[in-house]
Amino acid sequence: MVFKGKPTFDVTPPDDFDPSNPYADPVAMLEHREWLVREKMVAIERAKLLREQLKQCYRTEGVNHIKNCSGLVEKYLSSIKNVGWGKDTRIHKLYSDTAEQS
């Protein structure tokens, strides 16, 4: 058996998710969480690809890598800002008691 269709992914966050009351619709909350994780994974993989391109540029350019790879360095540095599995995508209202303690 072979899957002949193309998978579809949501490009935008779910419309019915309400950040002020996230537990009102548990399905929307889970869809929103999945969307956030998917976006983080895509950003991490983009950064990995840029890092590999940067390594290759450093190796091929040799001593001229500062001049010839500068555009790639800027792309890589901008791609790794706010990328990772930190707490930056949490809904702060849900974790307000932990935010007040720290």
Side-chain angles (χ1 to χ4, degrees):
M1 181 185 289
V2 177
F3 181 71
K4 295 182 181 179
K6 290 186 176 181
T8 58
F9 296 106
D10 294 332
V11 182
T12 59
D15 297 331
D16 51 348
F17 178 69
D18 182 20
S20 63
N21 188 9
Y23 293 114
D25 188 3
V27 174
M29 183 178 72
L30 290 175
E31 287 177 353
H32 188 265
R33 185 188 311 165
E34 288 175 359
W35 177 78
L36 286 174
V37 168
R38 191 169 39 246
E39 290 298 313
K40 284 285 188 179
M41 289 175 70
V42 168
I44 289 169
E45 291 303 318
R46 275 193 197 123
K48 286 181 183 178
L49 289 173
L50 282 171
R51 183 174 55 218
E52 289 299 319
Q53 290 175 1
L54 189 58
K55 280 184 189 178
Q56 190 63 31
C57 184
Y58 279 174
R59 289 179 185 145
T60 56
E61 296 300 328
V63 294
N64 297 327
H65 72 277
I66 295 174
K67 178 182 173 187
N68 297 337
C69 302
S70 62
L72 199 55
V73 168
E74 290 174 9
K75 274 184 177 177
Y76 175 67
L77 290 176
S78 67
S79 74
I80 62 172
K81 287 186 180 180
N82 296 326
V83 171
W85 297 106
K87 298 178 182 178
D88 54 341
T89 58
R90 283 184 164 185
I91 302 168
H92 296 290
K93 186 173 183 174
L94 294 178
Y95 302 100
S96 62
D97 58 338
T98 58
E100 291 171 2
Q101 292 174 358
S102 46

